[in-house]
Amino acid sequence: MEPFKTIKSIATPLDKVNVDTDQIVPKQFLKLVQKTGFGQYLFYDWRFTTGGLPKEDFILNNPKYRDSKILLTGENFGCGSSREHAAWALLDYGFVVVIAPSFADIFYNNCFKNGILPIKLDNKKIESLFKTNSEIEVNLENQTIIVPNETISFDIEGHRKKTLLEGLDDISITLQYEDKILQYEKSRIVS
Amino acid sequence: MPKTLFEKIWDLHVVVEQKNGPTLLYVDRHLVHEVTSPQAFDGLRMNKRNVRRPDLTFATMDHNVPTSDRSLPIIDQISAKQIKVLEKNCKDFDIELFDINSPNQGIVHVIGPELGITLPGTTIVCGDSHTSTHGAFGALAFGIGTSDVEHVLATQCIWMEKPKTFEIKIEGKRKNEHAVTAKDIILSIIRHIGTAGGAGTVIEYTGETISDLTMEQRMTICNMSIEGGARAGLVAPDEKTFAYLKGRKYIPKNYDELVDHWSENLKSDPGAHFDKIFTLHVDTISPQVSWGTNPAMTTDVTSIVPFPEEYAKGNQDEEKAAIRALQYMNLKPGTPITDISIDRVFIGSCTNSRLDDLIEASKIVKGKKVSSKVRAMIVPGSQLVKKQAEELGLDKIFKEANFEWRESGCSMCLGMNPDILVAGERCASTSNRNFEGRQGAGGRTHLVSPVMAAAAALAGHFMDVRELDLN
């Protein structure tokens, strides 16, 4: 995984609550057996007409946000299915930061496994971001979001921050505990 | 200090505990299916890693398998490839696979319990959010993403932040147990707590109603815990749990010994602290019908499609969401639920495709015909459910009423196989998600119980099953 670097970009405002992973990647695109190439399917049914043409009124189709790396959205983002394809699609499309008042648990977890930073911010701070029209800077090291005239700080669990900043692979970390796992396996009561 | 059932299971599975940061938990059972696993096996190969415990790993194909004639080749080439890839992965890594021709094939959350792979007090994970189903047996069971699937394959462990605890007490006696079902109970709960009400928690369902429910009904309730935002839902195991599992194919040899241990230990201690508590009284609840595009957007069958402003109770985001949902669902506020006509009926999914569900639905259908405007299908949850239903003659009852009787799989719950809604079609569905496009782009889903779906199939519109004689 790539180490997470400071991100400077305009934020795409997707003003919806309870955006579920079925919307992030509709199920007809879950049949690929690799992790790449899902960006073209991101928010597919919202982004394209049944004929496959871009829907002009959908925010991602606004040229202003074409190179945006930051997605700004509402409560409970990523609810529903556990499909990691949702994280892969966001990343493949170009989003590396998602800012919302809250996230669904599995999605939140999946973000960190793929180098995406999900930031939980209270509604008031989010509202001010929704009003910002210029570039914002997300600095994970300092845990800050810098908007013109304002610096907003955010919380993140220390170990998650470390994982992202160093681009660590969970499995290598776990394998260092091999002796503990073996020891545990000897004590199991259900075979 | 008194502990909750969840805390007891958690403590029994700790491999590494850290002061700050997640805990490494051991996984007793890992269930694998074709859609969320290919990239995980790929990762293992790339890093030259092996599957640590193939003996604790079980695989089946359920999400994209066709439910039509199994002797025919799979037409969708991409689905066929995903299925081939799972076969190869299981062969290469020595994992037991219940493939498309196996008598044990079925929806992963149906076959786990019916094969005795699911056991009380264990930890169970699967790359599918409805893994919460297995909590009905007093297992700590939750869905994971593909990166974690790879992690569990490689290490048989998972890193996890300790969730908070949420007790949902289900109290009272239902007036008509055949009409007001486990599905109506869980939809009522989600309607009250909201789709994020259980976020960050593990739910334990307690109370007299839960003890009265069968194992299959408890599975329906635990299954939809994720729709209330919780990773997992649990029910303390009891005599019903032990009797259900006894004699199943994969239970351990020392099962009786384990039952003694489980019945002594697997319950929340009196006075154990829960971080959150909610109580549902079932005495007065009605059959439920969802009207919107998330499972909390649900109401009584006797009610009307709500006005967004009233539904949102001052929350502007919710009001906007409700307006958008009604637009998508093509419904007008104030319309009686029973005036909503339907085009399709789907009885199936990991929520409601077990033998009990089919028996209950068949009682409604027996000797009647599906409305000529409606196309209705039954998709048993597993090959075993299908076989047992056929032994009871349920297939004949359904077929004579013009229901399609199909092979087992996830089918139209998520429409990854050919079973999908056409844009604009309206479906009474026993599944768990009514998200936009879930059952097919532009399709409109109403979540209901199996008896409500069966009654709607006959009438061509929703109706209150309490009006029918179900005894």
Side-chain angles (χ1 to χ4, degrees), chain A residues 1 4-7 69-71 87 90-91 95-100 103 107-108 110-120 137-145 154-157 160-162 164-165:
Chain A
M1 208 167 71
F4 189 92
K5 300 203 176 65
T6 296
I7 301 293
K69 294 183 171 68
I70 302 169
L71 184 69
L90 286 163
L91 190 68
F95 288 120
V96 274
V97 177
V98 185
I99 306 175
F103 294 90
F107 174 81
Y108 185 71
N110 286 342
C111 283
F112 290 99
K113 313 276 178 190
N114 292 282
I116 297 174
L117 169 62
I119 301 177
K120 293 180 197 167
E137 185 182 308
V138 175
N139 185 316
L140 175 58
E141 185 73 58
N142 302 335
Q143 297 180 213
T144 51
I145 301 168
F154 62 87
D155 288 332
I156 183 169
E157 300 91 334
R160 296 208 192 260
K161 178 175 171 178
K162 186 169 185 270
L164 278 185
L165 284 175

Side-chain angles (χ1 to χ4, degrees), chain A residues 10-117:
Chain A
I10 193 161
T12 306
L14 180 69
D15 191 10
K16 284 176 189 281
V17 290
N18 295 319
V19 173
D20 58 77
T21 52
D22 273 79
Q23 305 317 317
I24 302 175
V25 189
K27 77 266 158 194
Q28 61 268 36
F29 307 116
L30 302 185
K31 293 175 187 174
L32 301 182
V33 292
Q34 69 277 8
K35 288 186 187 181
T36 49
F38 285 97
Q40 55 188 311
Y41 309 128
L42 181 70
F43 298 119
Y44 193 86
D45 293 338
W46 287 346
R47 231 167 106 201
F48 300 107
T49 62
T50 39
L53 296 170
K55 290 183 186 170
E56 273 178 28
D57 58 348
F58 186 60
I59 195 81
L60 262 69
N61 292 326
N62 182 335
K64 186 173 156 191
Y65 301 108
R66 188 169 294 151
D67 299 317
S68 168
K69 294 183 171 68
I70 302 169
L71 184 69
L72 198 57
T73 184
E75 298 267 6
N76 200 25
F77 186 79
C79 60
S81 149
S82 64
R83 59 186 71 162
E84 199 161 317
H85 310 68
W88 300 335
L90 286 163
L91 190 68
D92 194 57
Y93 182 87
F95 288 120
V96 274
V97 177
V98 185
I99 306 175
S102 63
F103 294 90
D105 294 342
I106 303 177
F107 174 81
Y108 185 71
N109 206 32
N110 286 342
C111 283
F112 290 99
K113 313 276 178 190
N114 292 282
I116 297 174
L117 169 62

Side-chain angles (χ1 to χ4, degrees), chain A residues 27 31 84 159 174 184-185, chain B residues 12 26 76 147 151 161 437:
Chain A
K27 77 266 158 194
K31 293 175 187 174
E84 199 161 317
H159 65 95
T174 308
Y184 180 86
E185 283 180 327
Chain B
L12 276 172
Y26 199 80
D76 179 346
S147 295
H151 188 277
E161 304 277 341

Side-chain angles (χ1 to χ4, degrees), chain B residues 282-293:
Chain B
V282 298
D283 310 67
T284 53
I285 66 171
S286 304
Q288 302 289 299
V289 180
S290 75
W291 52 266
T293 52

